[in-house]
Amino acid sequence: MLDFQAYMYFNQEEAKTIEAIASRFIPSEENSPGAREAGAVIFIDRSLSGFYSHLQTFYRKGLALFEQFCEKKFGKQFAELSVEQQDEVLHDIDQLRAKMEPSVANIDEENLLLVQFFSVVYEHTIEGTFGDPIYGGNRDGVGWKMIGFPGAQWRYSPEQMQLGYDSKQIEIKSLADIQKLGASALKKEVLK
Amino acid sequence: MTKHYDAIVVGLGASGGIIATELARAGLKVVGLEKGAFYKEQDFLTKFDEIRYYCRSAMVPHMRTDPITWRSNNKKEAVVLPWASNKLGLGDPFQTPPSIGTGGGTRSWGAASFRFRESDFKMRSLIVERFSESALQDDTTVVDWPVSYEDLEPYYDKVEWELGVAGKPGNINGEVQEGGNPFESPRKRDYPMPPLPRAGADKLFTEAARKLGYHPFATPTGIATIDYKGRSACTNCGFCHGYHCHVGAKLSTHELVSAANKETDNLEIRQYVRVFKVNRDSSGHVHGVSYFDSEGNVVEVTADIVILSCYALENARLLLASGINESGHVGKHLSIHNYGWFTGIMPEITNPFMGSLQSGSVLDDLTSELIPDNEEGVLWGSPINTWTGDMQPIETVHSLPPHVPKWGKGLKDWLSENYRKLFKMYSQHSTLPSEQFYVDLDPKVKDPFGQPALRITHDWTEYDRKTVEYFMKIKRQLAREMGMKDWWEDSPTPNYHVTVHDTGTHRMGWDPAASVVNPYGEVHECKGLFAVGGGQFPTLPSYNPTETIMALAYLTSDHILGRSAVGKVEKMEVI
């Protein structure tokens, strides 16, 4: 029943575009997963259905404008472009961003909206790659594996804190593991 | 009939948590009015979460409910501060307003727990004596403190032993202690706990510092390093500043109020209430406060004593919104820290996500009056602090060096290669209070309850820039000596104007014409009303302010309860 990646807010096409953008921000390589494998798009979709629900319209308007930009430049939707072309699109908008002091007072102006859309998707891609897996992104801790962060650890020993210690030896934990430990561990640590 | 209290405490943070507890334990009937949650232990098990606590600022109010505006000078119109002006919620989460909820900032703090130096209480006299009156700008409002280090020493001692601070002493009764800070002002006894376990990078820093002739010492912290008075030892989990402690190792006043609430019948805590006005009777004596409850209803509470302890900014806002500013000094003398961030990559793995950010060392060789004579005109020095742990991934991406690609394979490669090798240094350069920089009520922007927003008027000066630069040179020396491969520095005139070390806005003094509160925190013009916390500071030294804020809170408590040894003021009439 749940073997199909369904979305709470995005339609399938929007999700495809967001995933493609995220995948250029943190690209996948052979033996080296990126934002796509992390499921950043799932993180974003769930966030838009929850904490960031006030950004739903912003995302929808931004996506439309973004696709328009791609159509104008290459005559295709973003997801249909080659990765080189995709990078070129993102690079153009990034340049626009660098030129524009993002004062953000008025989000209706087209260039500003495009730049903001870029910044927001970027920010949310980072969150969806390096945030805790309970939010739907950073699947199997792939973002944390990439950089050597062991996640939500109840403790580190003074030995592990030694200079040069290889943190990749530590089994990655999520907030789910902490809450599983839950009350019993809390009692042991705090109420002993 | 509604209940009348002996005391109302507005905000249960560093100072309010202590005062509420002390008064309740002494038998006064106290009500604590808290804008945030009255936490439960179970709440802290959700804390290993960078999305919730850092990206989404779970412990601080949001700008849509608690707007703060900023302008660089009084000719400009203020705008809602940068993190908030971004209506998409993508500002810089580090520049946050103060935490709410029981414990306030003491839940989210990094827990650096310094005493100020003897000299810090006499900044003006010492600067004038050494550099002459003309060294200070015309618009300066630098003054000496009305209390001395000796006055506060017993209270520092109380914070360290009663609440539990870990560290290595440097000077006990005038005798310099091996391995501690040789420049420390004399203390009466040791710390009750040894310092935190050393971070990986600490050895490299201390060796380099010693080679350059400096005297590094372990950062004193309000973090239990052994099981102490019911608190568990720190587990070095690395989710520390900006996060709750999951084992209760961090010194927090939440534990105090929570215990006082449970163990006495004297401390009632009302959560999710927003005080908006201090009420006075016809004689000018404080009468109570009005607040909005979580449904937006106006509720009035009466008491003989009211303590405003909701941070320097909100304290000033409440005083002004209540029309209490006869002296004209409310909101003036805003003093904040400029951190001079310096981040670099070490040749070896340092695992900067393990342990407290304060698991490293500090140099006091150039702090306060120890600043050498210099051509840059730096009048007051700063410690050089290290940040060795507690660096989570998303926060790291937010502070990338300018030459690293923001996205793409370049970003991925850089993070994979360098995240585990990061190391930070910083200082805490205090701005000098001046007539130019202050807070007041914004004439236009209001919160959703119709109350005026706080407006900050502040900019970094040429003096600030030179001071930060002077210390950057020393950080570069240290970095080279440590074998750092690459480093990057924050701007000496950064874009933040709120620092969580904001002070001075209701300065204390004995003269009602030149200050807002007396050294006990009582507002000169309103009997029974206290405004306490960093807002009391006449000047801001270069150390973290919290231990001094807590020491002053004990002084205020003693004064209210008639136990104070400082000054000549007798026990208060109301008790």
Side-chain angles (χ1 to χ4, degrees):
Chain A
M1 200 173 148
L2 291 175
D3 56 354
F4 178 77
Q5 181 50 58
Y7 295 95
M8 297 173 180
Y9 177 69
F10 290 135
N11 64 36
Q12 291 287 334
E13 194 167 291
E14 289 167 333
K16 213 161 124 189
T17 306
I18 295 293
E19 185 173 47
I21 299 172
S23 184
R24 294 323 298 154
F25 285 152
I26 304 175
S28 312
E29 300 158 276
E30 216 182 320
N31 301 321
S32 169
R36 187 185 300 273
E37 292 73 21
V41 65
I42 298 167
F43 165 84
I44 296 173
D45 181 64
R46 288 190 188 173
S47 296
L48 287 175
S49 317
F51 192 84
Y52 292 138
S53 62
H54 61 293
L55 296 184
Q56 287 184 352
T57 308
F58 167 80
Y59 256 87
R60 196 144 272 175
K61 281 162 72 181
L63 268 163
L65 196 63
F66 180 77
E67 293 292 19
Q68 236 175 54
F69 186 87
C70 296
E71 289 279 357
K72 218 173 344 178
K73 193 170 170 74
F74 290 115
K76 281 182 190 166
Q77 300 263 300
F78 186 78
E80 310 302 323
L81 302 175
S82 70
V83 291
E84 289 77 18
Q85 287 171 324
Q86 288 181 336
D87 283 353
E88 223 180 298
V89 166
L90 294 173
H91 184 77
D92 280 0
I93 303 176
D94 203 5
Q95 287 294 100
L96 210 57
R97 183 187 62 84
K99 271 187 257 161
M100 199 184 293
E101 192 59 48
S103 66
V104 200
N106 171 11
I107 61 165
D108 291 319
E109 203 227 309
E110 277 203 1
N111 276 352
L112 187 56
L113 178 53
L114 202 56
V115 162
Q116 282 191 321
F117 178 71
F118 173 95
S119 304
V120 170
V121 179
Y122 173 78
E123 199 61 35
H124 289 175
T125 300
I126 298 296
E127 292 179 13
T129 307
F130 299 113
D132 196 279
I134 63 166
Y135 287 84
N138 191 10
R139 204 155 34 195
D140 301 323
V142 296
W144 290 346
K145 274 180 202 149
M146 183 195 308
I147 61 175
F149 180 63
Q153 300 288 327
W154 189 275
R155 68 171 71 247
Y156 292 110
S157 68
E159 292 67 41
Q160 290 171 326
M161 289 171 74
Q162 296 290 315
L163 196 63
Y165 179 86
D166 181 9
S167 60
K168 291 190 175 172
Q169 298 173 53
I170 302 172
E171 191 195 339
I172 289 183
K173 299 276 193 201
S174 133
L175 190 50
D177 298 301
I178 297 282
Q179 293 190 18
K180 218 189 298 172
L181 276 173
S184 64
L186 189 71
K187 268 204 187 83
K188 216 170 110 219
E189 293 276 355
V190 180
L191 308 173
K192 64 184 165 193
Chain B
M1 197 187 130
T2 52
K3 191 173 167 186
H4 181 82
Y5 294 87
D6 292 322
I8 295 167
V9 180
V10 183
L12 297 172
S15 47
I18 287 176
I19 295 169
T21 302
E22 290 289 298
L23 300 190
R25 290 210 180 273
L28 272 66
K29 293 290 177 194
V30 182
V31 61
L33 303 178
E34 174 52 55
K35 203 190 259 182
F38 180 10
Y39 292 118
K40 303 268 176 288
E41 297 300 316
Q42 282 290 333
D43 292 334
F44 310 142
L45 280 180
T46 61
K47 75 112 182 214
F48 296 81
D49 187 345
E50 197 177 10
I51 302 278
R52 179 175 181 156
Y53 289 94
Y54 173 76
C55 303
R56 299 178 182 178
S57 309
M59 295 167 83
V60 301
H62 287 251
M63 285 301 112
R64 56 182 181 271
T65 52
D66 297 76
I68 298 176
T69 66
W70 168 79
R71 58 183 182 169
S72 56
N73 62 61
N74 64 11
K75 307 257 177 330
K76 294 202 170 147
E77 177 152 355
V79 292
V80 179
L81 264 165
W83 76 78
S85 67
N86 193 326
K87 63 174 85 167
L88 307 173
L90 293 176
D92 181 344
F94 187 72
Q95 301 162 40
T96 52
S99 307
I100 55 173
T102 43
T106 63
R107 288 225 60 80
S108 60
W109 67 322
S113 206
F114 290 94
R115 297 176 173 203
F116 292 164
R117 310 174 58 68
E118 285 173 315
S119 58
D120 287 325
F121 297 85
K122 298 176 281 193
M123 194 195 265
R124 185 183 177 90
S125 312
L126 292 174
I127 287 176
V128 168
E129 190 181 304
R130 176 173 171 192
F131 300 102
S132 93
E133 188 89 34
S134 61
L136 290 165
Q137 302 261 354
D138 288 344
D139 58 12
T140 186
T141 59
V142 175
V143 291
D144 289 351
W145 283 45
V147 291
S148 68
Y149 175 81
E150 292 69 29
D151 289 331
L152 285 192
E153 204 286 332
Y155 293 104
Y156 281 138
D157 184 89
K158 189 163 181 176
V159 172
E160 289 164 3
W161 283 79
E162 197 74 26
L163 304 181
V165 173
K168 174 95 185 128
N171 178 341
I172 298 180
N173 294 318
E175 285 197 28
V176 172
Q177 308 290 307
E178 182 68 30
N181 172 17
F183 306 107
E184 186 178 55
S185 294
R187 55 175 53 253
K188 291 275 188 291
R189 53 176 169 166
D190 197 348
Y191 287 98
M193 296 178 274
L196 286 165
R198 302 292 78 201
D202 188 55
K203 189 165 159 283
L204 300 173
F205 175 77
T206 52
E207 281 172 7
R210 285 199 190 98
K211 241 186 204 160
L212 293 170
Y214 299 121
H215 301 79
F217 63 98
T219 310
T221 54
I223 297 176
T225 55
I226 53 174
D227 292 356
Y228 185 76
K229 291 200 168 191
R231 279 160 64 201
S232 297
C234 173
T235 63
N236 309 305
C237 75
F239 279 87
C240 197
H241 83 285
Y243 299 91
H244 294 292
C245 183
H246 63 310
V247 296
K250 212 191 304 193
L251 188 173
S252 126
T253 59
H254 158 77
E255 274 79 17
L256 298 182
V257 296
S258 184
N261 170 265
K262 224 177 285 168
E263 293 162 18
T264 74
D265 280 333
N266 300 331
L267 178 58
E268 179 188 334
I269 297 174
R270 298 189 193 173
Q271 59 180 349
Y272 306 120
V273 302
R274 304 169 58 88
V275 173
F276 65 92
K277 193 170 180 292
V278 175
N279 301 318
R280 285 179 283 182
D281 63 21
S282 51
S283 69
H285 192 289
V286 77
H287 182 60
V289 300
S290 299
Y291 68 75
F292 295 107
D293 69 11
S294 59
E295 309 289 309
N297 304 308
V298 173
V299 177
E300 201 181 309
V301 195
T302 64
D304 298 336
I305 301 175
V306 172
I307 290 124
L308 302 181
S309 45
C310 34
Y311 198 71
L313 302 181
E314 181 64 6
N315 271 2
R317 203 192 67 78
L318 274 176
L319 288 170
L320 292 170
S322 306
I324 300 170
N325 188 18
E326 240 169 49
S327 68
H329 284 278
V330 177
K332 299 288 167 61
H333 319 294
L334 174 70
S335 305
I336 69 178
H337 276 154
N338 184 322
Y339 295 101
W341 296 110
F342 185 104
T343 313
I345 301 167
M346 301 302 298
E348 282 176 89
I349 290 176
T350 60
N351 293 322
F353 44 82
M354 294 184 182
S356 150
L357 71 114
Q358 307 290 5
S359 296
S361 299
V362 195
L363 306 181
D364 241 355
D365 298 67
L366 310 166
T367 306
S368 308
E369 86 288 3
L370 299 171
I371 184 84
D373 288 334
N374 61 83
E375 287 176 5
E376 288 87 343
V378 182
L379 304 171
W380 209 247
S382 163
I384 292 179
N385 311 55
T386 59
W387 182 306
T388 56
D390 200 8
M391 280 183 223
Q392 293 83 30
I394 299 170
E395 185 175 28
T396 301
V397 176
H398 284 158
S399 55
L400 291 176
H403 59 271
V404 170
K406 202 168 167 275
W407 52 276
K409 184 170 154 49
L411 168 70
K412 196 179 165 194
D413 289 348
W414 190 90
L415 286 172
S416 305
E417 175 61 27
N418 299 312
Y419 171 58
R420 292 194 292 166
K421 301 178 180 171
L422 296 173
F423 174 79
K424 270 184 204 288
M425 289 183 264
Y426 64 104
S427 310
Q428 300 188 132
H429 307 287
S430 35
T431 54
L432 301 177
S434 100
E435 280 161 15
Q436 294 181 63
F437 305 132
Y438 54 91
V439 303
D440 60 2
L441 301 179
D442 194 288
K444 288 187 182 157
V445 180
K446 304 234 185 303
D447 72 17
F449 300 85
Q451 301 303 307
L454 182 88
R455 176 172 68 179
I456 297 174
T457 302
H458 173 263
D459 207 358
W460 304 106
T461 64
E462 182 61 13
Y463 174 79
D464 297 325
R465 192 187 62 73
K466 283 184 181 164
T467 306
V468 176
E469 282 289 350
Y470 180 94
F471 279 80
M472 281 297 184
K473 276 192 281 185
I474 296 164
K475 289 171 198 162
R476 280 174 222 139
Q477 264 184 337
L478 286 158
R480 273 190 287 270
E481 194 63 43
M482 289 178 78
M484 226 177 249
K485 288 199 298 191
D486 187 17
W487 65 73
W488 54 102
E489 302 168 5
D490 196 8
S491 160
T493 54
N495 64 2
Y496 54 79
H497 301 278
V498 168
T499 63
V500 301
H501 292 183
D502 314 305
T503 60
T505 51
H506 47 89
R507 76 165 26 164
M508 60 178 171
W510 292 114
D511 178 4
S515 57
V516 179
V517 298
N518 68 25
Y520 310 111
E522 189 171 16
V523 177
H524 293 302
E525 73 190 74
C526 182
K527 200 88 183 120
L529 175 65
F530 291 76
V532 298
Q536 287 174 267
F537 292 6
T539 55
L540 176 62
S542 303
Y543 296 107
N544 305 60
T546 307
E547 184 169 327
T548 301
I549 288 170
M550 293 191 285
L552 287 170
Y554 275 124
L555 172 60
T556 295
S557 309
D558 272 6
H559 169 69
I560 294 173
L561 297 169
R563 305 187 299 217
S564 169
V566 177
K568 308 172 291 290
V569 178
E570 296 300 312
K571 181 174 167 176
M572 289 186 62
E573 293 156 22
V574 289
I575 308 302

